Amino acid sequence: MSVYVYNTLTQQKELFEPWAPPQVHMYVCGVTVYDHCHLGHARAYAAFDLVRRHLEYRGYRVTHVQNFTDVDDKIIARAQELGVAHEELTRTYEDAYFAAMDALGVNRAQDYPRATQSMPQIIAMIVRLLDQGYAYEVNGSVYFSIAHYAPYGQLSKRDRKQMEAGARVEVDTHKKDPLDFVLWKPQKAGEPAWDSPWGLGRPGWHIECSAMATAAFGPRIDIHAGGQDLIFPHHENEIAQSEAATGQKPFAKYWLHNGFVTLDKQKMSKSLGNVFTLRELYQRYDPNLLRFFLLRVHYRHPIHFSTTQIEEDAAALKRLSQAAHEFTQPAPEAMHAEFQAQFDAALDDDFNSTEAMAVLFNACREVNKLKKGGPLLSKLAKQLGLDLPKEESTLDPRILELLKQRAQARAEKNFMESDRLRDLLKQRGVLAKDTPQGQKWERV
RNA sequence: GGCGACGUGGCCGAGUGGUUAGGCAGAGGUCUGCAAAACCUUGUACCCCAGUUCGAACCUGGGCGUCGCCUCCA
């Protein structure tokens, strides 16, 4: 009944105990809206969608807030390149984000704060950091001084000295320490800018999440989530800023990080150029199938993209769907309870969707044996946010006529004719199957 | 170099100190006019070397290999 979550901060699974149950405050780092989402984004948001679904299933009231980073170097560069206003560019990709994630079955967050709409909170936090001596200003830039924040490195388990030893040459000579990071950047010609006590400029990347998360939830949140690539420096910096500014810790009680999608063993990322956008993938694969593909692997482990794997998954998903719709009577109560309990236990254990799917397939075998229990399969799948789609009953009337003729031929034991019709149907994408319950069909 | 993750049967992929993961593919069988689907049976897996242990693929140490972060990145 208790949920255990792996916490990056402590590097172990912990009993999940939010600050004020049943309320759960969950902040998920969102996308920078300058391009279409790819499979890696889908992985992250499908994973944390499952986290949220399961916590809600367990009776928690989850408030999910997820930001859009809508001002940064890439956005500005892209907008200039395309000759459009940055607001127009970000709006386009926000819409694209929602379209892609809605299709994947990712539930929408309660709120999507944007950096450009959070300037007062961002500036207020920077002012606080300056007042308290955690930050310093140089020529319109404000930097966070990690020398003043002792626990720096707690999340990523980095030692400051080693980082400094390995640090690359810093071009920014205004910094007192190469590891200091920028809170506020002065405007360069042609860039969007906001007024601040340090002149026109815009916020650094890390500060926006700290400001928006604390604006939404106060100084201490329950869950903070994002990709493993955000552990350092982004989340490390968020912790430093937030705890320094609010004086309260921990900023987040549980830090959750998803693993990457890889392609040919390499991380799928824009900078490597080896990404598949969801837009492309949806033309070839049902988003529901892609969700299945993504949840097949535990969220913290890497998932290797391959089309052959997705096609194998399609076969597996079809098997579940067929059983779910073939045997519409409910499962015996004891069986239902048994599988449900195993399924829930799998998800309680750090959202182990892989294990949960194993339970689902075991249940499927039982359903096929007993010839009842289809609703159980649909119910468990739904808990993962998956549909077990039924073949559409809308068939071309001419195809229906052929099926009818074939059934007739079989009844008359005219097998030459029935086989001919089966071939004909196959050419038209319909597989005729003879079962003890009569002729059935499916699309191929 | 620092930190982190991983190395499981043909492929993918969970997990556990001694008992079946699961999926896909394969083989045999039941059913069927033949197929298909489904079901049953089947594979005796855990990178290498030491150590702890009555017992290790699972714990410890070492090695080899792969990947990620250390710069923007889900």
Side-chain angles (χ1 to χ4, degrees):
Chain A
M1 182 65 199
S2 307
V3 177
Y4 285 80
V5 303
Y6 182 88
N7 188 353
T8 306
L9 197 56
T10 57
Q11 297 180 292
Q12 57 191 9
K13 275 186 209 170
E14 297 175 7
L15 179 62
F16 181 65
E17 293 178 297
W19 296 115
Q23 179 63 252
V24 173
H25 290 159
M26 173 164 155
Y27 185 90
V28 179
C29 278
V31 290
T32 300
V33 275
Y34 73 104
D35 207 343
H36 286 287
C37 289
H38 62 255
L39 195 58
H41 297 116
R43 211 286 235 245
Y45 301 113
F48 300 125
D49 181 64
L50 178 68
V51 167
R52 175 176 162 193
R53 282 171 190 264
H54 188 61
L55 292 176
E56 287 175 343
Y57 174 79
R58 281 312 198 191
Y60 293 104
R61 285 204 344 265
V62 180
T63 307
H64 170 193
V65 170
Q66 181 172 317
N67 69 298
F68 281 118
T69 295
D70 64 350
V71 59
D72 94 319
D73 292 345
K74 285 178 186 166
I75 291 172
I76 293 167
R78 194 77 195 277
Q80 283 175 350
E81 189 183 305
L82 296 174
V84 299
H86 69 98
E87 295 95 333
E88 190 184 325
L89 183 83
T90 57
R91 189 75 222 173
T92 301
Y93 290 113
E94 281 178 24
D95 291 345
Y97 169 88
F98 285 124
M101 294 303 158
D102 288 352
L104 248 202
V106 174
N107 285 141
R108 292 210 181 185
Q110 279 83 351
D111 193 24
Y112 291 93
R114 289 147 179 94
T116 56
Q117 294 169 357
S118 309
M119 290 301 161
Q121 294 93 319
I122 291 170
I123 289 167
M125 187 172 256
I126 297 174
V127 167
R128 213 152 44 236
L129 288 168
L130 280 165
D131 287 350
Q132 292 169 344
Y134 290 108
Y136 55 94
E137 186 204 345
V138 185
N139 297 337
S141 290
V142 183
Y143 297 96
F144 185 88
S145 171
I146 67 155
H148 292 87
Y149 185 73
Y152 194 77
Q154 57 186 306
L155 182 70
S156 54
K157 319 299 171 200
R158 276 156 218 257
D159 180 88
R160 194 143 60 193
K161 286 205 177 93
Q162 280 162 347
M163 281 192 282
E164 280 167 14
R168 303 174 194 202
V169 182
E170 252 316 326
V171 284
D172 191 339
T173 50
H174 296 315
K175 288 186 187 178
K176 290 182 182 166
D177 183 303
L179 294 176
D180 290 349
F181 54 91
V182 69
L183 299 170
W184 190 263
K185 315 180 173 189
Q187 179 185 30
K188 290 187 203 141
E191 289 185 348
W194 288 259
D195 199 16
S196 81
W198 321 285
L200 285 171
R202 61 190 163 95
W205 177 37
H206 313 296
I207 192 73
E208 69 175 78
C209 282
S210 290
M212 292 188 273
T214 50
F217 296 133
R220 298 197 302 183
I221 63 186
D222 296 300
I223 294 175
H224 195 125
Q228 280 172 355
D229 46 4
L230 299 183
I231 294 172
F232 189 88
H234 185 55
H235 287 166
E236 194 70 71
N237 291 351
E238 277 192 59
I239 290 175
Q241 290 164 343
S242 304
E243 293 182 359
T246 68
Q248 293 203 48
K249 60 183 298 184
F251 169 47
K253 196 168 182 188
Y254 303 97
W255 286 88
L256 273 56
H257 294 98
N258 66 277
F260 301 127
V261 176
T262 64
L263 186 64
D264 297 328
K265 293 200 148 191
Q266 282 194 306
K267 178 185 171 188
M268 188 179 278
S269 74
K270 299 265 315 171
S271 43
L272 288 169
N274 61 345
V275 298
F276 283 103
T277 66
L278 295 175
R279 237 170 39 137
E280 296 171 81
L281 288 168
Y282 288 174
Q283 290 179 3
R284 294 186 59 189
Y285 305 108
D286 187 331
N288 188 58
L289 172 59
L290 289 171
R291 186 179 175 103
F292 183 96
F293 167 80
L294 294 171
L295 295 181
R296 245 184 69 255
V297 179
H298 184 85
Y299 77 93
R300 283 191 283 113
H301 291 175
I303 178 164
H304 306 293
F305 176 85
S306 81
T307 54
T308 54
Q309 184 61 55
I310 292 177
E311 267 139 36
E312 285 182 10
D313 291 338
L317 188 59
K318 190 164 123 188
R319 210 177 113 221
L320 292 173
S321 299
Q322 283 188 180
H325 296 291
E326 180 93 24
F327 307 114
T328 52
Q329 285 183 56
E333 208 165 302
M335 170 181 154
H336 185 110
E338 172 66 18
F339 282 115
Q340 181 75 64
Q342 286 179 21
F343 188 87
D344 294 345
L347 293 179
D348 283 344
D349 183 14
D350 196 31
F351 316 101
N352 193 334
S353 53
T354 313
E355 190 70 39
M357 282 199 192
V359 175
L360 181 54
F361 280 99
N362 285 334
C364 182
R365 189 173 307 117
E366 275 304 299
V367 167
N368 278 317
K369 273 195 228 180
L370 291 176
K371 302 192 189 306
K372 56 172 72 170
L376 169 64
L377 301 182
S378 300
K379 202 240 165 210
L380 296 180
K382 197 77 214 157
Q383 247 176 286
L384 298 172
L386 290 169
D387 289 324
L388 299 183
K390 192 185 171 94
E391 293 284 345
E392 318 102 276
S393 51
T394 51
L395 265 188
D396 187 320
R398 278 149 49 204
I399 300 281
L400 262 174
E401 182 56 32
L402 289 176
L403 281 166
K404 225 162 125 185
Q405 284 176 22
R406 181 173 178 277
Q408 179 66 25
R410 280 198 81 243
E412 292 164 3
K413 298 207 183 294
N414 184 352
F415 297 121
M416 287 269 279
E417 176 65 2
S418 71
D419 286 353
R420 187 187 72 82
L421 288 165
R422 180 162 60 196
D423 286 345
L424 197 61
L425 283 160
K426 199 173 171 188
Q427 284 170 25
R428 305 194 178 177
V430 173
L431 181 67
K433 301 186 291 185
D434 302 312
T435 75
Q437 291 81 41
Q439 176 177 277
K440 305 240 170 180
W441 61 272
E442 67 181 78
R443 289 186 198 277
V444 288

